[in-house]
Amino acid sequence: MRSRTASLAWWLALSLAACAEDGALRLLDAEGPRGVGPPPGPWGVAVLTDGARPRAWWAVDDGPFEELPLSALGGGQFTGQLPPAGPGTVFGWYVELGPERLPPGGAQAPYRFAVVDDRIADAGPPNTCRLVFTRPVDGQTVFEDTDDNAPQARTQMTVRVGTDLPPGHGVRLMVGGARYTGRVGVGEVEPGEVAFADVTLADGPQTLVADALAPEGEPCSAEIAVEVVPRR
């Protein structure tokens, strides 16, 4: 711990000298959860700057970003906490100071962190994050007569995706500009399946994309194209 503190102090002094020369703000470092971790949390986030107060932002399951409160510890060090969450939750977070971002992509490409229950993850072979559409399937023609909630202005149906991800793990579905979230084995579905209810499909060619973050932190995705034919 003393070695880490001394290293941060040395880096801070060096950066302050650089700031004195060009007057620019400096976002030096950001540490926090990345990849995977066990529930329930919370999980700490630490930010090191040249002394100026940064801002931190977080989101859950690709929802809107909210500001994460940070406490000043002195010496340009600030800390906050991501809240407790259950298995399958995927956090996104980033920090900013003036025009600088960590990671550089900010809200478009934040640090990501999946909550994984070690008891589930260790119960079987390593997950490969396989995603396969089972309803509809690639190349299928979807007629409005198969609408699960007819009559509707547009076709609405339950989209199903098979996966080898563990129970409760989060999976996202994107159709056009709309996003849906689901969890493996939740509701009236079998383990190894995700059901996205009331997915709206416009008439004509449609592309459906499912993606997820594996317990090991690696992303996976599946994509299909269907044709939606209106009722005559």
Side-chain angles (χ1 to χ4, degrees):
M1 180 63 70
R2 292 181 60 186
S3 176
R4 171 66 174 164
T5 302
S7 176
L8 290 176
W10 175 85
W11 180 239
L12 179 60
L14 182 62
S15 301
L16 286 173
C19 293
E21 293 178 1
D22 60 15
L25 296 175
R26 291 291 185 266
L27 181 57
L28 305 178
D29 193 14
E31 296 184 1
R34 306 179 200 181
V36 298
W43 299 275
V45 172
V47 186
L48 181 65
T49 77
D50 66 343
R53 174 176 283 274
R55 302 179 75 182
W57 301 89
W58 67 288
V60 171
D61 294 334
D62 294 300
F65 278 90
E66 301 179 22
E67 188 162 4
L68 181 71
L70 295 176
S71 300
L73 302 183
Q77 299 179 66
F78 300 84
T79 61
Q81 285 190 330
L82 296 175
T89 303
V90 178
F91 285 100
W93 66 276
Y94 71 97
V95 297
E96 64 180 0
L97 180 54
E100 299 180 60
R101 305 284 187 279
L102 282 178
Q108 302 304 314
Y111 295 126
R112 298 190 75 191
F113 170 67
V115 182
V116 177
D117 191 329
D118 289 338
R119 294 169 298 178
I120 295 176
D122 294 340
N127 295 294
T128 56
C129 196
R130 183 179 65 91
L131 297 172
V132 178
F133 281 90
T134 58
R135 183 179 191 259
V137 296
D138 189 40
Q140 180 177 339
T141 299
V142 178
F143 296 94
E144 285 190 350
D145 289 339
T146 64
D147 193 329
D148 292 342
N149 294 286
Q152 298 284 344
R154 291 184 292 177
T155 302
Q156 288 187 310
M157 67 183 301
T158 297
V159 174
R160 296 179 180 271
V161 177
T163 181
D164 58 359
L165 291 168
H169 203 83
V171 178
R172 178 176 63 173
L173 173 69
M174 292 169 286
V175 182
R179 296 186 178 186
Y180 306 84
T181 58
R183 298 190 184 279
V184 180
V186 173
E188 297 180 1
V189 299
E190 298 294 327
E193 184 180 58
V194 186
F196 302 91
D198 299 330
V199 175
T200 299
L201 301 175
D203 293 343
Q206 297 292 312
T207 299
L208 289 72
V209 179
D211 66 3
L213 189 67
E216 292 79 10
E218 294 296 325
C220 64
S221 65
E223 179 177 324
I224 63 170
V226 301
E227 180 79 17
V228 181
V229 177
R231 185 183 292 111
R232 299 297 183 183

